[in-house]
Amino acid sequence: MAGVPTSVIAATGLVGGYATARWTKKRPLGGVALAVAGAVAAKGWQERAGSATAAALSGAYVAAFAGSHPLAKKIGAWPSVFAVAGGVALASWVAVDRRK
């Protein structure tokens, strides 16, 4: 996965986790997808930008997941997921991927 930008991995984890949970009707399965992508992204963040950046972006990833729930009540589920995924992807690109 060394060639895949961490921003893509993180956004895919948020969108894919929600899609998996929604379409399979198994929330824990969506959580697994979310967690696996988050772990892969965190590993990339740590390798490419160090532990402090990885911790900050991991926190943003978890906050985005949590924040998507109340946001969904205001703008809808899919728009919320895409909004938070875009925010995490942008943060990841700025902090890590654009350096490459």
Side-chain angles (χ1 to χ4, degrees), residues 2 10 19 27 38 42 46-47 53-54 65 74-75 78 83 86-88 92 99:
R27 292 179 73 179
Q46 196 279 325
E47 290 173 353
T53 300
F65 167 69
K74 295 181 188 281
I75 66 172
W78 280 112
V88 170
S92 180
R99 297 180 185 189

Side-chain angles (χ1 to χ4, degrees), residues 33-77:
L34 177 81
V36 168
V40 171
K43 185 174 187 283
W45 294 327
Q46 196 279 325
E47 290 173 353
R48 297 175 192 174
S51 297
T53 300
L57 289 171
S58 294
Y61 186 80
V62 171
F65 167 69
S68 69
H69 293 83
L71 183 60
K73 293 180 187 212
K74 295 181 188 281
I75 66 172

